Structure formats: C-alpha cells, structure tokens
Amino acid sequence: MDNDIVLQIKGLSKSFAKNKVLDGINLSVKKGTVMGLMGENGAGKSTMMKCLFGIYAKDEGQILLNGKPIDFKSPKEALESGVAMVHQELNQCLDRTVIDNLFLGRYPTQFGVVDEVKMMKDSLALFDSLKMNVNPKTIMRTMSVSQRQMVEIAKAVSYNAKIIVLDEPTSSLTEPEVRKLFSIVNDLKKQGVSFVYISHKMDEIFEVCDEVSVLRDGKMIVTKSIKETEMNELIAAMVGRSLDKRFPDVDNTPGRDYFEVRGLSTKYEPFLKDISFTVRKGEIFGLYGLVGAGRSELLESIFGIRTISSGELILDGKKLHFKNCKEAMDYNFALITEERKLNGMFGKDTIKFNTVITNLNGYKTFGVLSNRKMQEAADREIKIMNTKCVSSDELITALSGGNQQKVIFGKWLERSPDIFLMDEPTRGIDVGAKYEIYQLIINMAKQGKTIIVVSSEMPEILGITNRIAVMSNHRLAGIVDTKDTDQEALLRLSAKYL
C-alpha cells in the first residue's frame, strides 16, 4: 500500500432490505490532502460516512487506516482513533458552554475533580492555534450556526484527528467565514491532517480540494485530480447528464407594489432597527448580508416568530395584525427555516405527516381528516419535488438532507402561499436538485407569488433574484437591482454599518 495513503476504502457495499445503497465503493485519501466527495442527494455519501464511523455495519468490503484494517463500532471509537466528522446538522449541547461541548466525555480531572483551569487553558490555546476568536464560556445556543460549526471543527482538531470529514461545512457561512475555514484547512494540511470534503458547491471543490470523487446511485463514477477535471465533467458524472447553466433564466415580470415592511424594529435582541422596503407581486426579492446581520431575524419577525416593537407590515394596501406564525399562515405567509432539523420538520414522523401537517384543514371530508386526501397530497408533492424515497410512509430522517428539504418545500406548496419566505432554501442540496428548486421559485413568481429569499451564496443570490436588499448590523444597508450589481457592490453594502 502507498505510504502516503491514510484512509483506504475497498469494495464497500451496503444494502437496506433490497435497496443497494453502496455498491463496491473504492476510495483512497492521501496524507495532508483534501478529497472532495460529490453526488446528488441520495447518491450514498452519508451512508458511506456512516459505515466509516460505525453508525452502520457494512455488508462487504474493508476499511484501512494507515494500512491497518479498522471496523469502528461507534463514532466515539472513530474519534479516539483520530477520525472525526463535522456534520452539516450540528449535534451539540446547546444549553452548555463551548468548553463543555469541547470536553464532553473526556473531562480532565485532578484528585477526582474536573480540572476547569486546565480546560480553560487548553481551550484558549486551541482557539489561538486556529486563529479563532471564541469565548470558551459562551453558551452554545447564543452563537450563530457558523460559530458553532467552527467550535465543532476545533473539537475535531483537539482530538488530534488525522482524518476530518467536513459535511457541507460552508452551508451557513458567509464569504469571509468561508475564507477563514479554508485558511484553517490549509494550515492543518501542512501539519499532515487529511480531509474528506463533502459539498455541492463546485467553486469550493475546485478551490480547496486536491482530488475529487463523484458518487451516483451508490457507485463510484469517477475519481480524479482536481487539476485534471472541470465543472461540466463533474456535473455530468453527478446527474448523468450535462447541465448547460447553473441558473435558469429569471424571466418573471414583477407587478405592482404588494408587500411593504415599514419602519420595522424588534423588541428583543438582536434588535432590528427601522427596516423599510417594498416587494412587488411576483417578485423574487433577495436578502443578503454577513451571518449575524439580521437576515433570519427579519424573516422571523415578518412571520410572527419574533416580537415587533414598532413598525408596520402592509399587504396589498392593508395593515396586518398578527402575533404568531399561525396567524401569519392565515394571511397566506409561508417560511422555510434555515435549520430544518431544529425547526423545519418532525424528525420522528413520516414524509406524509411532514407534507400534510401545515394544511390539515385542506384534507377534511365532512370535518373528518381523509387519509386518502393526505396520501394523495404526499404522493403529489413527492412527484412534483422529485423526492428520492421508498414511499411516503418512510421516516423523513431516512432521507438525505436535500430530499428532506424537498419535503419541507412540498408541505408549504400544499398551502399555495402568497408570500413565501425562504431562509437558505438550497442549503445542502446537490447541483441538479438546486436547479429544480431555482426553477420552482421562478415559476412560483411567474404565477404571481411573492418570494423573499435569504442566501449566503453570492452566486445564488445574484443568479435567481430581481432585486437584493443587503443587511448590515441589523439594519438595511441598501437595495440594488440584481442585473445592475455585482459581488463587490454587495460586500461593500454588507460592511456599511460594521
């Protein structure tokens, strides 16, 4: 075996009942390199990693670490052996401090008592070595998704991990934070740490990876040096066909002024300050800004989740009065949240349940819920969204992240909303499915639906909107026409009040 190869997967296969999810997978990761791993949602990426970490038992094949066969029985065993994973959906103790999350399960002790002085000293040294500005005493719940992700990366490093799997690590990061992450990855590469980098973002794969592998339908389609391939080849390998463009034509025609936010400020932290804008009927209105700028908080305020201290919401000339999201839904508002696992779905229930839950009154016959109507709704949205699943009775957690997002989209489409608020709607979705989502958004706008969409991906916000409002430090920094702006202008506005 090549001495440079740290991790080698040979002939890995895994089936669930008659469904073969992985079919003879081979993968090698060299010391001090980044292996990109791409594939459509449901291609087998997560299953492959779960086999590596002992969450699933493999059916066939062998996994070698530094030339020695391994068969981890749990993620803890993998972590203690120097193999770590930073999940897209973070699993952290949100009501505990950063220190607690770093040392959970391995608290240092002195004379039988937890050594808090050592924990603080080691935490500060760890964050300093990674050039991260994190207060170890901060409660995790008070931190942004991006900050919590950085803590998880630091935790992996603290175990002296030699292999770190990053699963969609930039899905909640802004451009400056992405640059910071890449800087950390490059520094760790120089120290001999290897990475498996799972991402749907082509630009990042070409920037940070040394090699790239593509999975499709459980088979390894291609593994190449990043210098010997290009974007169209990878897309064709992923989806089995060539995609001419990353974004469809934004050919909707916005109509009259339809929804107005006038002087909106919020009652509790983080305080939004005097925000005003008007969105037209059938318009795709983007919200951009650095993480922490107030984009999600603005959507939550419009949807009745956060308390407005002053200001007005006006829909089609009429002032709206609602105190919670149920009343917002009665006015035909819909919201796709940023963190689907935390507050976007019922993880312990089925695809059918998650599809119909927001529109139960629409499935009643003589006041009684009709199972037939609910089944028809679930099957309809599976077809419309092209969701990969066995049946609507499958648990939503059995789906890949992107297919979970499709179910969430479908549940709101069942209500046919007039104002559709979307917070990072394509987070964790592959390039083929993203195109489908973009087309869906544009088609909704052409039908007269008004879309307000938050995205941290600059190409995306520029690729699918009519206008873009830029937030900075909880204020509105400016509004630009998409066709007349560029990335530099958006970044300049996003720094306006910093």
Side-chain angles (χ1 to χ4, degrees):
M1 177 176 153
D2 189 331
N3 289 331
D4 279 346
I5 294 177
V6 183
L7 176 70
Q8 187 168 26
I9 295 172
K10 291 181 173 181
L12 180 65
S13 294
K14 176 67 181 175
S15 297
F16 296 100
K18 294 180 181 178
N19 183 21
K20 195 154 194 175
V21 182
L22 296 175
D23 188 1
I25 297 295
N26 296 304
L27 182 76
S28 298
V29 182
K30 296 172 185 171
K31 182 178 180 179
T33 65
V34 181
M35 167 61 80
L37 185 59
M38 304 194 77
E40 287 194 281
N41 298 117
K45 305 185 298 297
S46 296
T47 303
M48 180 175 156
M49 291 302 113
K50 285 176 180 176
C51 288
L52 169 62
F53 283 89
I55 299 169
Y56 291 156
K58 60 187 182 298
D59 296 337
E60 299 171 30
Q62 193 177 35
I63 301 174
L64 306 171
L65 187 63
N66 291 318
K68 297 175 184 175
I70 54 164
D71 192 9
F72 299 136
K73 302 302 181 192
S74 69
K76 184 174 185 291
E77 189 182 335
L79 199 53
E80 289 169 350
S81 301
V83 183
M85 182 167 182
V86 179
H87 295 268
Q88 178 188 352
E89 306 288 354
L90 300 173
N91 293 307
Q92 295 167 317
C93 300
L94 296 182
D95 293 317
R96 306 299 296 177
T97 63
V98 169
I99 283 184
D100 284 327
N101 277 270
L102 284 177
F103 289 95
L104 194 64
R106 50 170 182 154
Y107 286 110
T109 57
Q110 190 173 35
F111 309 118
V113 179
V114 173
D115 190 342
E116 295 191 11
V117 173
K118 176 174 170 54
M119 283 163 55
M120 176 59 79
K121 182 181 176 183
D122 289 352
S123 298
L124 290 171
L126 173 66
F127 290 126
D128 185 57
S129 71
L130 295 172
K131 301 182 182 71
M132 290 182 186
N133 183 22
V134 178
N135 181 350
K137 291 185 177 180
T138 305
I139 299 293
M140 296 293 289
R141 191 177 294 281
T142 65
M143 301 172 77
S144 68
V145 179
S146 60
Q147 290 171 322
R148 290 196 280 120
Q149 204 163 33
M150 290 299 188
V151 170
E152 202 69 7
I153 291 168
K155 181 178 177 179
V157 173
S158 73
Y159 273 88
N160 293 317
K162 295 305 172 191
I163 297 268
I164 300 178
V165 178
L166 299 176
D167 186 4
E168 295 288 347
T170 66
S171 59
S172 297
L173 305 189
T174 58
E175 194 63 28
E177 290 167 325
V178 171
R179 302 266 71 80
K180 172 71 176 172
L181 173 66
F182 288 176
S183 173
I184 291 170
V185 168
N186 286 324
D187 287 346
L188 291 172
K189 275 174 61 179
K190 292 171 187 172
Q191 298 170 34
V193 178
S194 305
F195 292 85
V196 176
Y197 191 94
I198 303 173
S199 180
H200 296 306
K201 298 180 181 179
M202 291 284 178
D203 300 343
E204 292 177 5
I205 290 290
F206 280 94
E207 181 169 352
V208 78
C209 296
D210 301 290
E211 292 185 282
V212 60
S213 294
V214 176
L215 277 173
R216 186 172 81 232
D217 297 330
K219 293 184 174 68
M220 191 64 79
I221 302 300
V222 66
T223 297
K224 277 195 167 185
S225 164
I226 205 73
K227 294 174 183 175
E228 295 173 1
T229 188
E230 44 87 32
M231 192 177 294
N232 288 335
E233 182 181 8
L234 293 185
I235 291 173
M238 282 173 63
V239 302
R241 66 189 191 280
S242 179
L243 273 182
D244 298 328
K245 297 185 296 184
R246 287 179 66 183
F247 303 100
D249 292 329
V250 183
D251 55 357
N252 60 312
T253 306
R256 68 181 190 281
D257 288 352
Y258 185 61
F259 175 62
E260 183 181 358
V261 174
R262 186 184 295 171
L264 183 147
S265 299
T266 52
K267 191 171 184 178
Y268 303 108
E269 287 191 62
F271 300 109
L272 299 181
K273 302 162 191 169
D274 193 27
I275 292 172
S276 299
F277 60 86
T278 301
V279 188
R280 290 168 287 179
K281 191 171 181 63
E283 181 174 25
I284 304 169
F285 189 79
L287 279 179
Y288 183 74
L290 305 181
V291 167
R295 303 166 306 169
S296 297
E297 289 81 2
L298 176 55
L299 291 192
E300 289 170 357
S301 301
I302 293 171
F303 198 62
I305 296 172
R306 290 180 177 270
T307 305
I308 296 173
S309 60
S310 61
E312 295 174 330
L313 302 178
I314 300 165
L315 180 65
D316 211 11
K318 297 174 185 174
K319 291 181 184 178
L320 304 181
H321 302 281
F322 53 79
K323 300 184 180 69
N324 55 49
C325 48
K326 169 64 173 65
E327 293 176 10
M329 288 165 62
D330 291 339
Y331 281 105
N332 242 1
F333 282 73
L335 170 67
I336 288 180
T337 58
E338 179 181 9
E339 292 192 77
R340 56 177 167 264
K341 183 178 179 182
L342 183 68
N343 51 23
M345 66 187 198
F346 291 89
K348 294 183 179 180
D349 230 304
T350 63
I351 295 169
K352 181 166 78 174
F353 180 90
N354 277 276
T355 300
V356 303
I357 189 62
T358 60
N359 194 37
L360 291 177
N361 287 333
Y363 312 119
K364 289 180 178 178
T365 301
F366 304 116
V368 179
L369 274 174
S370 164
N371 194 56
R372 178 183 60 80
K373 287 185 177 179
M374 291 191 290
Q375 187 64 58
E376 287 173 352
D379 291 342
R380 176 169 58 244
E381 293 305 334
I382 287 171
K383 186 176 181 181
I384 289 170
M385 298 306 302
N386 194 25
T387 307
K388 288 184 179 176
C389 61
V390 176
S391 77
S392 62
D393 292 325
E394 202 174 349
L395 286 179
I396 192 168
T397 47
L399 304 183
S400 65
N403 282 301
Q404 290 174 3
Q405 190 77 329
K406 288 180 176 183
V407 175
I408 293 166
F409 245 97
K411 81 175 179 186
W412 288 117
L413 290 179
E414 281 295 301
R415 290 186 63 87
S416 191
D418 292 324
I419 306 279
F420 208 147
L421 312 172
M422 303 179 182
D423 197 352
E424 305 285 2
T426 65
R427 183 181 174 206
I429 294 182
D430 65 75
V431 65
K434 273 187 177 183
Y435 195 90
E436 293 171 16
I437 295 288
Y438 299 149
Q439 193 65 69
L440 180 72
I441 290 171
I442 293 165
N443 288 341
M444 288 174 67
K446 286 162 82 170
Q447 293 164 19
K449 309 298 182 186
T450 299
I451 319 286
I452 302 177
V453 56
V454 167
S455 177
S456 299
E457 290 188 47
M458 195 118 34
E460 179 172 273
I461 205 81
L462 289 166
I464 62 162
T465 58
N466 302 117
R467 287 187 300 154
I468 303 167
V470 182
M471 301 280 292
S472 176
N473 197 23
H474 309 129
R475 305 180 191 185
L476 187 64
I479 299 174
V480 294
D481 281 325
T482 305
K483 63 181 183 301
D484 298 327
T485 195
D486 56 21
Q487 296 193 15
E488 186 181 335
L490 294 186
L491 284 172
R492 203 180 305 117
L493 280 171
S494 66
K496 184 173 178 180
Y497 293 117
L498 298 183

